[in-house]
Each structure stands twice: as structure tokens, then as C-alpha cells.
PDB file of all heavy atoms in Angstrom:
ATOM      1  N   MET Z   1     -62.612 -32.232  10.988  1.00 98.00           N
ATOM      2  CA  MET Z   1     -62.389 -32.528  12.412  1.00 98.00           C
ATOM      3  C   MET Z   1     -63.713 -32.490  13.183  1.00 98.00           C
ATOM      4  O   MET Z   1     -63.987 -33.370  14.007  1.00 98.00           O
ATOM      5  CB  MET Z   1     -61.402 -31.530  13.015  1.00 98.00           C
ATOM      6  CG  MET Z   1     -59.977 -31.719  12.564  1.00 98.00           C
ATOM      7  SD  MET Z   1     -58.906 -30.511  13.395  1.00 98.00           S
ATOM      8  CE  MET Z   1     -58.117 -29.756  11.995  1.00 98.00           C
ATOM      9  N   ILE Z   2     -64.520 -31.475  12.905  1.00 98.00           N
ATOM     10  CA  ILE Z   2     -65.827 -31.359  13.578  1.00 98.00           C
ATOM     11  C   ILE Z   2     -66.694 -32.566  13.236  1.00 98.00           C
ATOM     12  O   ILE Z   2     -67.327 -33.167  14.114  1.00 98.00           O
ATOM     13  CB  ILE Z   2     -66.521 -30.026  13.211  1.00 98.00           C
ATOM     14  CG1 ILE Z   2     -65.746 -28.847  13.809  1.00 98.00           C
ATOM     15  CG2 ILE Z   2     -67.983 -30.030  13.667  1.00 98.00           C
ATOM     16  CD1 ILE Z   2     -66.173 -27.483  13.292  1.00 98.00           C
ATOM     17  N   PHE Z   3     -66.717 -32.932  11.968  1.00 98.00           N
ATOM     18  CA  PHE Z   3     -67.484 -34.106  11.543  1.00 98.00           C
ATOM     19  C   PHE Z   3     -67.022 -35.346  12.309  1.00 98.00           C
ATOM     20  O   PHE Z   3     -67.839 -36.115  12.828  1.00 98.00           O
ATOM     21  CB  PHE Z   3     -67.333 -34.318  10.031  1.00 98.00           C
ATOM     22  CG  PHE Z   3     -67.996 -35.576   9.538  1.00 98.00           C
ATOM     23  CD1 PHE Z   3     -69.352 -35.605   9.293  1.00 98.00           C
ATOM     24  CD2 PHE Z   3     -67.254 -36.724   9.333  1.00 98.00           C
ATOM     25  CE1 PHE Z   3     -69.970 -36.766   8.851  1.00 98.00           C
ATOM     26  CE2 PHE Z   3     -67.860 -37.894   8.898  1.00 98.00           C
ATOM     27  CZ  PHE Z   3     -69.226 -37.916   8.656  1.00 98.00           C
ATOM     28  N   SER Z   4     -65.706 -35.539  12.400  1.00 98.00           N
ATOM     29  CA  SER Z   4     -65.150 -36.708  13.087  1.00 98.00           C
ATOM     30  C   SER Z   4     -65.574 -36.747  14.549  1.00 98.00           C
ATOM     31  O   SER Z   4     -65.979 -37.796  15.056  1.00 98.00           O
ATOM     32  CB  SER Z   4     -63.619 -36.710  12.991  1.00 98.00           C
ATOM     33  OG  SER Z   4     -63.208 -36.768  11.647  1.00 98.00           O
ATOM     34  N   VAL Z   5     -65.485 -35.611  15.227  1.00 98.00           N
ATOM     35  CA  VAL Z   5     -65.887 -35.539  16.635  1.00 98.00           C
ATOM     36  C   VAL Z   5     -67.368 -35.859  16.779  1.00 98.00           C
ATOM     37  O   VAL Z   5     -67.776 -36.586  17.692  1.00 98.00           O
ATOM     38  CB  VAL Z   5     -65.542 -34.157  17.239  1.00 98.00           C
ATOM     39  CG1 VAL Z   5     -66.202 -33.968  18.594  1.00 98.00           C
ATOM     40  CG2 VAL Z   5     -64.031 -33.979  17.346  1.00 98.00           C
ATOM     41  N   CYS Z   6     -68.173 -35.357  15.854  1.00 98.00           N
ATOM     42  CA  CYS Z   6     -69.627 -35.554  15.947  1.00 98.00           C
ATOM     43  C   CYS Z   6     -70.056 -36.999  15.754  1.00 98.00           C
ATOM     44  O   CYS Z   6     -71.109 -37.403  16.253  1.00 98.00           O
ATOM     45  CB  CYS Z   6     -70.350 -34.662  14.941  1.00 98.00           C
ATOM     46  SG  CYS Z   6     -70.296 -32.917  15.381  1.00 98.00           S
ATOM     47  N   ILE Z   7     -69.264 -37.792  15.019  1.00 98.00           N
ATOM     48  CA  ILE Z   7     -69.682 -39.183  14.803  1.00 98.00           C
ATOM     49  C   ILE Z   7     -69.064 -40.147  15.817  1.00 98.00           C
ATOM     50  O   ILE Z   7     -69.453 -41.315  15.852  1.00 98.00           O
ATOM     51  CB  ILE Z   7     -69.422 -39.656  13.356  1.00 98.00           C
ATOM     52  CG1 ILE Z   7     -67.936 -39.690  13.018  1.00 98.00           C
ATOM     53  CG2 ILE Z   7     -70.230 -38.817  12.368  1.00 98.00           C
ATOM     54  CD1 ILE Z   7     -67.626 -40.350  11.680  1.00 98.00           C
ATOM     55  N   ILE Z   8     -68.160 -39.682  16.653  1.00 98.00           N
ATOM     56  CA  ILE Z   8     -67.573 -40.560  17.674  1.00 98.00           C
ATOM     57  C   ILE Z   8     -68.653 -41.222  18.533  1.00 98.00           C
ATOM     58  O   ILE Z   8     -68.592 -42.431  18.765  1.00 98.00           O
ATOM     59  CB  ILE Z   8     -66.522 -39.810  18.526  1.00 98.00           C
ATOM     60  CG1 ILE Z   8     -65.247 -39.562  17.700  1.00 98.00           C
ATOM     61  CG2 ILE Z   8     -66.201 -40.587  19.810  1.00 98.00           C
ATOM     62  CD1 ILE Z   8     -64.221 -38.665  18.374  1.00 98.00           C
ATOM     63  N   PRO Z   9     -69.685 -40.483  19.000  1.00 97.00           N
ATOM     64  CA  PRO Z   9     -70.708 -41.129  19.839  1.00 97.00           C
ATOM     65  C   PRO Z   9     -71.559 -42.174  19.112  1.00 97.00           C
ATOM     66  O   PRO Z   9     -72.361 -42.854  19.750  1.00 97.00           O
ATOM     67  CB  PRO Z   9     -71.577 -39.956  20.318  1.00 97.00           C
ATOM     68  CG  PRO Z   9     -70.691 -38.770  20.230  1.00 97.00           C
ATOM     69  CD  PRO Z   9     -69.852 -39.024  19.018  1.00 97.00           C
ATOM     70  N   LEU Z  10     -71.388 -42.323  17.805  1.00 96.00           N
ATOM     71  CA  LEU Z  10     -72.102 -43.384  17.097  1.00 96.00           C
ATOM     72  C   LEU Z  10     -71.421 -44.738  17.307  1.00 96.00           C
ATOM     73  O   LEU Z  10     -71.930 -45.767  16.855  1.00 96.00           O
ATOM     74  CB  LEU Z  10     -72.222 -43.063  15.607  1.00 96.00           C
ATOM     75  CG  LEU Z  10     -73.120 -41.881  15.272  1.00 96.00           C
ATOM     76  CD1 LEU Z  10     -73.063 -41.564  13.787  1.00 96.00           C
ATOM     77  CD2 LEU Z  10     -74.552 -42.128  15.724  1.00 96.00           C
ATOM     78  N   GLY Z  11     -70.273 -44.720  17.982  1.00 95.00           N
ATOM     79  CA  GLY Z  11     -69.579 -45.954  18.343  1.00 95.00           C
ATOM     80  C   GLY Z  11     -69.319 -46.852  17.158  1.00 95.00           C
ATOM     81  O   GLY Z  11     -68.767 -46.439  16.142  1.00 95.00           O
ATOM     82  N   PHE Z  12     -69.743 -48.106  17.284  1.00 91.00           N
ATOM     83  CA  PHE Z  12     -69.533 -49.068  16.204  1.00 91.00           C
ATOM     84  C   PHE Z  12     -70.186 -48.611  14.904  1.00 91.00           C
ATOM     85  O   PHE Z  12     -69.686 -48.894  13.817  1.00 91.00           O
ATOM     86  CB  PHE Z  12     -70.077 -50.451  16.598  1.00 91.00           C
ATOM     87  CG  PHE Z  12     -70.046 -51.406  15.454  1.00 91.00           C
ATOM     88  CD1 PHE Z  12     -68.862 -51.994  15.067  1.00 91.00           C
ATOM     89  CD2 PHE Z  12     -71.193 -51.679  14.734  1.00 91.00           C
ATOM     90  CE1 PHE Z  12     -68.823 -52.852  13.979  1.00 91.00           C
ATOM     91  CE2 PHE Z  12     -71.169 -52.537  13.654  1.00 91.00           C
ATOM     92  CZ  PHE Z  12     -69.978 -53.125  13.278  1.00 91.00           C
ATOM     93  N   GLY Z  13     -71.280 -47.864  15.001  1.00 93.00           N
ATOM     94  CA  GLY Z  13     -71.959 -47.351  13.807  1.00 93.00           C
ATOM     95  C   GLY Z  13     -71.067 -46.440  12.976  1.00 93.00           C
ATOM     96  O   GLY Z  13     -71.281 -46.278  11.780  1.00 93.00           O
ATOM     97  N   ALA Z  14     -70.057 -45.864  13.597  1.00 95.00           N
ATOM     98  CA  ALA Z  14     -69.085 -45.030  12.886  1.00 95.00           C
ATOM     99  C   ALA Z  14     -67.768 -45.781  12.673  1.00 95.00           C
ATOM    100  O   ALA Z  14     -66.777 -45.200  12.255  1.00 95.00           O
ATOM    101  CB  ALA Z  14     -68.825 -43.745  13.675  1.00 95.00           C
ATOM    102  N   GLY Z  15     -67.775 -47.082  13.005  1.00 95.00           N
ATOM    103  CA  GLY Z  15     -66.576 -47.892  12.810  1.00 95.00           C
ATOM    104  C   GLY Z  15     -65.519 -47.679  13.879  1.00 95.00           C
ATOM    105  O   GLY Z  15     -64.350 -47.944  13.647  1.00 95.00           O
ATOM    106  N   MET Z  16     -65.912 -47.215  15.025  1.00 95.00           N
ATOM    107  CA  MET Z  16     -64.972 -46.913  16.093  1.00 95.00           C
ATOM    108  C   MET Z  16     -63.821 -47.898  16.115  1.00 95.00           C
ATOM    109  O   MET Z  16     -64.068 -49.091  16.032  1.00 95.00           O
ATOM    110  CB  MET Z  16     -65.717 -46.903  17.426  1.00 95.00           C
ATOM    111  CG  MET Z  16     -64.912 -46.300  18.531  1.00 95.00           C
ATOM    112  SD  MET Z  16     -64.396 -44.641  18.128  1.00 95.00           S
ATOM    113  CE  MET Z  16     -65.154 -43.719  19.410  1.00 95.00           C
ATOM    114  N   PRO Z  17     -62.598 -47.469  16.091  1.00 97.00           N
ATOM    115  CA  PRO Z  17     -62.051 -46.130  16.338  1.00 97.00           C
ATOM    116  C   PRO Z  17     -61.797 -45.279  15.087  1.00 97.00           C
ATOM    117  O   PRO Z  17     -61.034 -44.322  15.131  1.00 97.00           O
ATOM    118  CB  PRO Z  17     -60.728 -46.441  17.053  1.00 97.00           C
ATOM    119  CG  PRO Z  17     -60.258 -47.705  16.416  1.00 97.00           C
ATOM    120  CD  PRO Z  17     -61.520 -48.489  16.138  1.00 97.00           C
ATOM    121  N   VAL Z  18     -62.448 -45.594  13.967  1.00 98.00           N
ATOM    122  CA  VAL Z  18     -62.243 -44.829  12.730  1.00 98.00           C
ATOM    123  C   VAL Z  18     -62.359 -43.319  12.941  1.00 98.00           C
ATOM    124  O   VAL Z  18     -61.475 -42.573  12.510  1.00 98.00           O
ATOM    125  CB  VAL Z  18     -63.180 -45.315  11.596  1.00 98.00           C
ATOM    126  CG1 VAL Z  18     -63.178 -44.351  10.421  1.00 98.00           C
ATOM    127  CG2 VAL Z  18     -62.780 -46.700  11.134  1.00 98.00           C
ATOM    128  N   PRO Z  19     -63.409 -42.797  13.576  1.00 98.00           N
ATOM    129  CA  PRO Z  19     -63.501 -41.340  13.699  1.00 98.00           C
ATOM    130  C   PRO Z  19     -62.355 -40.729  14.513  1.00 98.00           C
ATOM    131  O   PRO Z  19     -61.927 -39.612  14.236  1.00 98.00           O
ATOM    132  CB  PRO Z  19     -64.852 -41.083  14.356  1.00 98.00           C
ATOM    133  CG  PRO Z  19     -65.336 -42.393  14.842  1.00 98.00           C
ATOM    134  CD  PRO Z  19     -64.597 -43.465  14.124  1.00 98.00           C
ATOM    135  N   VAL Z  20     -61.845 -41.468  15.484  1.00 98.00           N
ATOM    136  CA  VAL Z  20     -60.702 -40.971  16.261  1.00 98.00           C
ATOM    137  C   VAL Z  20     -59.456 -40.930  15.377  1.00 98.00           C
ATOM    138  O   VAL Z  20     -58.688 -39.959  15.403  1.00 98.00           O
ATOM    139  CB  VAL Z  20     -60.467 -41.831  17.524  1.00 98.00           C
ATOM    140  CG1 VAL Z  20     -59.200 -41.410  18.255  1.00 98.00           C
ATOM    141  CG2 VAL Z  20     -61.679 -41.768  18.446  1.00 98.00           C
ATOM    142  N   LEU Z  21     -59.265 -41.963  14.577  1.00 98.00           N
ATOM    143  CA  LEU Z  21     -58.124 -41.991  13.643  1.00 98.00           C
ATOM    144  C   LEU Z  21     -58.260 -40.889  12.590  1.00 98.00           C
ATOM    145  O   LEU Z  21     -57.263 -40.263  12.205  1.00 98.00           O
ATOM    146  CB  LEU Z  21     -58.014 -43.368  12.987  1.00 98.00           C
ATOM    147  CG  LEU Z  21     -57.689 -44.521  13.933  1.00 98.00           C
ATOM    148  CD1 LEU Z  21     -57.843 -45.862  13.228  1.00 98.00           C
ATOM    149  CD2 LEU Z  21     -56.288 -44.358  14.509  1.00 98.00           C
ATOM    150  N   MET Z  22     -59.489 -40.651  12.125  1.00 98.00           N
ATOM    151  CA  MET Z  22     -59.715 -39.551  11.174  1.00 98.00           C
ATOM    152  C   MET Z  22     -59.357 -38.220  11.810  1.00 98.00           C
ATOM    153  O   MET Z  22     -58.680 -37.388  11.185  1.00 98.00           O
ATOM    154  CB  MET Z  22     -61.188 -39.519  10.740  1.00 98.00           C
ATOM    155  CG  MET Z  22     -61.598 -40.606   9.792  1.00 98.00           C
ATOM    156  SD  MET Z  22     -63.390 -40.604   9.449  1.00 98.00           S
ATOM    157  CE  MET Z  22     -63.706 -38.932   8.927  1.00 98.00           C
ATOM    158  N   LEU Z  23     -59.812 -38.026  13.031  1.00 98.00           N
ATOM    159  CA  LEU Z  23     -59.530 -36.780  13.741  1.00 98.00           C
ATOM    160  C   LEU Z  23     -58.025 -36.573  13.875  1.00 98.00           C
ATOM    161  O   LEU Z  23     -57.512 -35.486  13.573  1.00 98.00           O
ATOM    162  CB  LEU Z  23     -60.202 -36.794  15.114  1.00 98.00           C
ATOM    163  CG  LEU Z  23     -59.955 -35.586  16.009  1.00 98.00           C
ATOM    164  CD1 LEU Z  23     -60.461 -34.307  15.360  1.00 98.00           C
ATOM    165  CD2 LEU Z  23     -60.620 -35.800  17.370  1.00 98.00           C
ATOM    166  N   LEU Z  24     -57.310 -37.598  14.301  1.00 98.00           N
ATOM    167  CA  LEU Z  24     -55.853 -37.490  14.427  1.00 98.00           C
ATOM    168  C   LEU Z  24     -55.206 -37.164  13.082  1.00 98.00           C
ATOM    169  O   LEU Z  24     -54.303 -36.322  13.000  1.00 98.00           O
ATOM    170  CB  LEU Z  24     -55.272 -38.788  14.991  1.00 98.00           C
ATOM    171  CG  LEU Z  24     -55.596 -39.104  16.438  1.00 98.00           C
ATOM    172  CD1 LEU Z  24     -55.115 -40.516  16.791  1.00 98.00           C
ATOM    173  CD2 LEU Z  24     -54.973 -38.079  17.370  1.00 98.00           C
ATOM    174  N   SER Z  25     -55.654 -37.823  12.031  1.00 98.00           N
ATOM    175  CA  SER Z  25     -55.104 -37.592  10.691  1.00 98.00           C
ATOM    176  C   SER Z  25     -55.325 -36.153  10.236  1.00 98.00           C
ATOM    177  O   SER Z  25     -54.419 -35.513   9.691  1.00 98.00           O
ATOM    178  CB  SER Z  25     -55.757 -38.538   9.680  1.00 98.00           C
ATOM    179  OG  SER Z  25     -55.539 -39.876  10.027  1.00 98.00           O
ATOM    180  N   LEU Z  26     -56.530 -35.651  10.452  1.00 98.00           N
ATOM    181  CA  LEU Z  26     -56.844 -34.286  10.033  1.00 98.00           C
ATOM    182  C   LEU Z  26     -56.079 -33.257  10.864  1.00 98.00           C
ATOM    183  O   LEU Z  26     -55.654 -32.218  10.337  1.00 98.00           O
ATOM    184  CB  LEU Z  26     -58.356 -34.051  10.096  1.00 98.00           C
ATOM    185  CG  LEU Z  26     -59.160 -34.886   9.089  1.00 98.00           C
ATOM    186  CD1 LEU Z  26     -60.634 -34.889   9.445  1.00 98.00           C
ATOM    187  CD2 LEU Z  26     -58.929 -34.395   7.670  1.00 98.00           C
ATOM    188  N   VAL Z  27     -55.872 -33.549  12.141  1.00 98.00           N
ATOM    189  CA  VAL Z  27     -55.047 -32.669  12.978  1.00 98.00           C
ATOM    190  C   VAL Z  27     -53.613 -32.660  12.456  1.00 98.00           C
ATOM    191  O   VAL Z  27     -52.982 -31.596  12.373  1.00 98.00           O
ATOM    192  CB  VAL Z  27     -55.104 -33.095  14.466  1.00 98.00           C
ATOM    193  CG1 VAL Z  27     -54.032 -32.395  15.291  1.00 98.00           C
ATOM    194  CG2 VAL Z  27     -56.489 -32.821  15.045  1.00 98.00           C
ATOM    195  N   VAL Z  28     -53.104 -33.823  12.082  1.00 98.00           N
ATOM    196  CA  VAL Z  28     -51.752 -33.897  11.511  1.00 98.00           C
ATOM    197  C   VAL Z  28     -51.671 -33.023  10.261  1.00 98.00           C
ATOM    198  O   VAL Z  28     -50.729 -32.243  10.103  1.00 98.00           O
ATOM    199  CB  VAL Z  28     -51.356 -35.358  11.197  1.00 98.00           C
ATOM    200  CG1 VAL Z  28     -50.121 -35.429  10.311  1.00 98.00           C
ATOM    201  CG2 VAL Z  28     -51.131 -36.139  12.489  1.00 98.00           C
ATOM    202  N   LEU Z  29     -52.654 -33.134   9.372  1.00 97.00           N
ATOM    203  CA  LEU Z  29     -52.652 -32.312   8.157  1.00 97.00           C
ATOM    204  C   LEU Z  29     -52.709 -30.824   8.498  1.00 97.00           C
ATOM    205  O   LEU Z  29     -52.003 -30.015   7.892  1.00 97.00           O
ATOM    206  CB  LEU Z  29     -53.841 -32.662   7.256  1.00 97.00           C
ATOM    207  CG  LEU Z  29     -53.746 -33.935   6.447  1.00 97.00           C
ATOM    208  CD1 LEU Z  29     -55.021 -34.148   5.636  1.00 97.00           C
ATOM    209  CD2 LEU Z  29     -52.533 -33.928   5.542  1.00 97.00           C
ATOM    210  N   TYR Z  30     -53.532 -30.482   9.449  1.00 97.00           N
ATOM    211  CA  TYR Z  30     -53.679 -29.077   9.853  1.00 97.00           C
ATOM    212  C   TYR Z  30     -52.359 -28.533  10.401  1.00 97.00           C
ATOM    213  O   TYR Z  30     -51.942 -27.432  10.079  1.00 97.00           O
ATOM    214  CB  TYR Z  30     -54.789 -28.946  10.894  1.00 97.00           C
ATOM    215  CG  TYR Z  30     -55.151 -27.523  11.197  1.00 97.00           C
ATOM    216  CD1 TYR Z  30     -56.127 -26.875  10.448  1.00 97.00           C
ATOM    217  CD2 TYR Z  30     -54.524 -26.817  12.219  1.00 97.00           C
ATOM    218  CE1 TYR Z  30     -56.471 -25.558  10.711  1.00 97.00           C
ATOM    219  CE2 TYR Z  30     -54.858 -25.496  12.485  1.00 97.00           C
ATOM    220  CZ  TYR Z  30     -55.833 -24.871  11.737  1.00 97.00           C
ATOM    221  OH  TYR Z  30     -56.172 -23.565  11.994  1.00 97.00           O
ATOM    222  N   ARG Z  31     -51.709 -29.341  11.224  1.00 96.00           N
ATOM    223  CA  ARG Z  31     -50.461 -28.899  11.853  1.00 96.00           C
ATOM    224  C   ARG Z  31     -49.298 -28.869  10.884  1.00 96.00           C
ATOM    225  O   ARG Z  31     -48.370 -28.091  11.077  1.00 96.00           O
ATOM    226  CB  ARG Z  31     -50.145 -29.772  13.056  1.00 96.00           C
ATOM    227  CG  ARG Z  31     -51.220 -29.598  14.146  1.00 96.00           C
ATOM    228  CD  ARG Z  31     -50.834 -30.210  15.402  1.00 96.00           C
ATOM    229  NE  ARG Z  31     -49.808 -29.364  16.011  1.00 96.00           N
ATOM    230  CZ  ARG Z  31     -49.207 -29.632  17.138  1.00 96.00           C
ATOM    231  NH1 ARG Z  31     -49.517 -30.723  17.779  1.00 96.00           N
ATOM    232  NH2 ARG Z  31     -48.296 -28.837  17.623  1.00 96.00           N
ATOM    233  N   LYS Z  32     -49.327 -29.711   9.866  1.00 90.00           N
ATOM    234  CA  LYS Z  32     -48.241 -29.720   8.871  1.00 90.00           C
ATOM    235  C   LYS Z  32     -48.139 -28.346   8.219  1.00 90.00           C
ATOM    236  O   LYS Z  32     -47.057 -27.804   8.115  1.00 90.00           O
ATOM    237  CB  LYS Z  32     -48.460 -30.801   7.815  1.00 90.00           C
ATOM    238  CG  LYS Z  32     -48.293 -32.202   8.319  1.00 90.00           C
ATOM    239  CD  LYS Z  32     -46.891 -32.666   8.149  1.00 90.00           C
ATOM    240  CE  LYS Z  32     -46.739 -34.081   8.667  1.00 90.00           C
ATOM    241  NZ  LYS Z  32     -45.387 -34.540   8.634  1.00 90.00           N
ATOM    242  N   GLY Z  33     -49.278 -27.850   7.755  1.00 73.00           N
ATOM    243  CA  GLY Z  33     -49.372 -26.506   7.200  1.00 73.00           C
ATOM    244  C   GLY Z  33     -48.262 -26.117   6.247  1.00 73.00           C
ATOM    245  O   GLY Z  33     -47.897 -24.957   6.166  1.00 73.00           O
TER     246      GLY Z  33
END
């Protein structure tokens, strides 16, 4: 999640919105528990 947040400001260089989708996915996994 931290990695995903950190690459968001890279915009297109991070494939935006890929890092946001990654963050959401990892939050889903965390919450599933």
C-alpha cells in the first residue's frame, strides 16, 4: 500500500490509475483478513 501511494505522483510513469487500483486491491486483501 505504501509503495502504491508513493508512485501515484509519477502519474503516467506509474501507469495511472494503476497505482490507485493496486492500492484499492491491497486494501481489499487487508480487510478480507
Side-chain angles (χ1 to χ4, degrees):
M1 288 182 234
I2 292 169
F3 175 81
S4 299
V5 168
C6 289
I7 65 171
I8 288 172
L10 292 174
F12 172 77
M16 193 57 119
V18 168
V20 174
L21 295 170
M22 286 174 53
L23 177 61
L24 291 172
S25 300
L26 294 165
V27 168
V28 166
L29 283 179
Y30 189 89
R31 295 191 74 182
K32 290 269 180 185

